[in-house]
Amino acid sequence: MSQIIAHFQTLTQIPHCSKEADKLLDFLVAFSKERGYAVEVDEVKNIYIHKGTPKLCLQAHYDMVCMGKAPQIETYMEEGWIKAKNASLGADNGMAIAMMMQLMDEGEELEFLITSDEEIGLIGANKVAFDLKATMMLNLDSEDEAEVYIGCAGGADITAFKQDNYKKGEGDCYEVAVKGLVGGHSGVDIDKGIPSAIKILGSYLYENRVTQLASMYAGERRNSIPANAVAIVRSETLLESQENVTVRKLKEAPEVLREGDRLIELIHRFKHGVRAQNEKLGIPDVSINLAIITSDEKGGLKIETSARAMGADALEDLTEETVKMFEDYGFSVKVEDKYPAWKPDVSAFTNLVNDEMKAVFGKTKMMAIHAGLECGVIAEKYSMMQFASIGPTIRYPHSTREMVNVDSVEKTFEVLQGVIKRVKMI
């Protein structure tokens, strides 16, 4: 087992879910200082680590999406892949941190920018204001080997809320559940045909003419395709299980939401998934994830979505369309955690990274990704810096199926070493 993998295994044992990553923050600060690096931490808990006067800054984030049993992570190896038992793995972006730790062990004179709470809206990146000296930044948050990323989608979280109240219900009470779907990343996996538990549940209720909704708890994270959704309903006609939908009759006789039928109709009508394809880049151009729907005991309804687009105008159009739809159904709407697209840009630095990628893998291609990389946000703050993004092959991030390829990690680190060596010669 390489030292990089050993470092990663250490990281999996330190809790670092978004908003709850202070233990990993403390660990990284101590680790860096012990190896002679200067460390600064800002008010939103971004970490800036540096030594000497390097031309290159390596960038990653240290929070992870916790799914399943995470942050209790038990890893295992299967056919060259590291996986976690019933939990997200945190290879996104923990493997990048492990590579950085290895470079610190080797004493490389570099800048390291490690941001906080990337997974819940690029919160750390939006607040970065360190006095970076490097003229080039290599982000390590991509998820396919032999590819150099030079652009990414912009995004926004759109949240809707409505206060409903209850009325007397009629008929039998049922729990209608869609559970244990595979889930996935709401950006890079949105075009892979992964079913949404919320859409399946909504379609079942709509097609069975269920109009009496007592409660709903659906989805896990804004940036994850929903894997689970449960509704408590009443119906005067018999409801039965079908593929992916489990129906269980309950003894309760709860009151139901006055406008529960409107929520069911909204879910049925909502166009979750890819809205437009970018033929030139071969990736989705516009998409939206119907991520979370919850009701509280007082009748409050909350819907959370994440919208993405490769261009600012398309993102604005999608945002306006979604806001209008929610408002038409009586919701108040808030748009938050908006971040810009990183417009694809070929530079001397991206060409350098591309050359090193080809030298190790024998092939390479420049790509854009339908997900939010921090490069877009950081590039707006450091306009004189050149950017690129690479990473080892990671499959199904933000889900309990997440896995990382060990051989890909080793080769990607070779690429990283080659880039560092080349940059020193400039």
Side-chain angles (χ1 to χ4, degrees), residues 164-170 210-214 234 236 253-262 297-299:
D164 201 349
N165 49 48
Y166 290 95
K167 64 179 182 179
K168 183 180 177 181
E170 303 290 342
V210 175
T211 60
Q212 301 180 84
L213 176 67
R234 295 188 69 173
E236 295 183 82
E255 292 188 316
V256 298
L257 293 161
R258 288 189 178 277
E259 297 191 3
D261 59 331
R262 298 263 289 160
E297 64 278 1
K298 296 181 180 179

Side-chain angles (χ1 to χ4, degrees), residues 254-424:
E255 292 188 316
V256 298
L257 293 161
R258 288 189 178 277
E259 297 191 3
D261 59 331
R262 298 263 289 160
L263 177 60
I264 293 167
E265 181 186 87
L266 188 159
I267 296 169
H268 176 72
R269 286 187 55 210
F270 192 97
K271 296 178 181 177
H272 163 94
V274 178
R275 297 290 189 87
Q277 187 75 7
N278 189 309
E279 300 299 338
K280 183 178 179 181
L281 297 173
I283 57 175
D285 195 70
V286 183
S287 75
I288 190 163
N289 181 45
L290 182 56
I292 303 172
I293 301 178
T294 53
S295 60
D296 63 34
E297 64 278 1
K298 296 181 180 179
L301 298 173
K302 186 177 182 182
I303 304 174
E304 300 175 61
T305 70
S306 54
R308 303 178 191 269
M310 301 305 293
D313 290 344
L315 180 60
E316 192 63 31
D317 290 345
L318 177 60
T319 301
E320 289 179 3
E321 175 193 326
T322 305
V323 168
K324 184 179 185 305
M325 182 180 191
F326 288 151
E327 289 179 342
D328 287 347
Y329 278 88
F331 286 82
S332 59
V333 188
K334 182 167 63 173
V335 179
E336 54 191 351
D337 296 332
K338 201 168 184 178
Y339 55 89
W342 171 29
K343 186 177 179 180
D345 179 44
V346 176
S347 65
F349 180 53
T350 59
N351 285 331
L352 181 157
V353 177
N354 206 47
D355 289 345
E356 292 305 311
M357 191 71 76
K358 188 173 183 179
V360 173
F361 286 97
K363 60 180 181 178
T364 184
K365 56 183 175 179
M366 292 191 188
M367 299 281 291
I369 188 171
H370 192 67
L373 291 175
E374 293 170 292
C375 300
V377 175
I378 297 171
E380 289 196 335
K381 300 171 180 291
Y382 301 92
S383 58
M384 301 304 291
M385 194 176 276
Q386 297 179 66
F387 293 82
S389 178
I390 64 172
T393 296
I394 298 172
R395 292 288 174 260
Y396 311 115
H398 302 186
S399 79
T400 55
R401 294 193 297 161
E402 183 180 0
M403 62 182 83
V404 60
N405 186 273
V406 174
D407 182 63
S408 182
V409 170
E410 303 299 342
K411 288 183 176 178
T412 300
F413 188 70
E414 273 188 65
V415 175
L416 181 52
Q417 289 176 310
V419 170
I420 293 168
K421 187 175 179 180
R422 284 275 301 278
V423 168
K424 286 178 181 178

Side-chain angles (χ1 to χ4, degrees), residues 192-212:
K192 292 182 171 57
I194 296 171
S196 160
I198 291 177
K199 287 295 292 182
I200 291 174
L201 176 63
S203 293
Y204 176 91
L205 297 177
Y206 186 83
E207 290 164 6
N208 283 277
R209 295 181 171 82
V210 175
T211 60
Q212 301 180 84

Side-chain angles (χ1 to χ4, degrees), residues 122-193:
L122 287 78
I123 290 171
N126 275 300
K127 297 289 187 178
V128 166
F130 295 117
D131 184 20
L132 302 182
K133 302 294 194 299
T135 56
M136 290 162 273
M137 180 175 287
L138 186 60
N139 168 278
L140 301 174
D141 196 16
S142 297
E143 290 158 358
D144 283 290
E145 66 178 32
E147 295 178 355
V148 179
Y149 286 84
I150 61 172
C152 74
D157 292 339
I158 305 165
T159 304
F161 180 81
K162 178 166 70 174
Q163 184 61 50
D164 201 349
N165 49 48
Y166 290 95
K167 64 179 182 179
K168 183 180 177 181
E170 303 290 342
D172 292 323
C173 180
Y174 297 90
E175 177 194 77
V176 184
V178 180
K179 292 184 177 180
L181 300 187
V182 296
H185 191 292
S186 66
V188 296
D189 292 332
I190 199 72
D191 61 339
K192 292 182 171 57

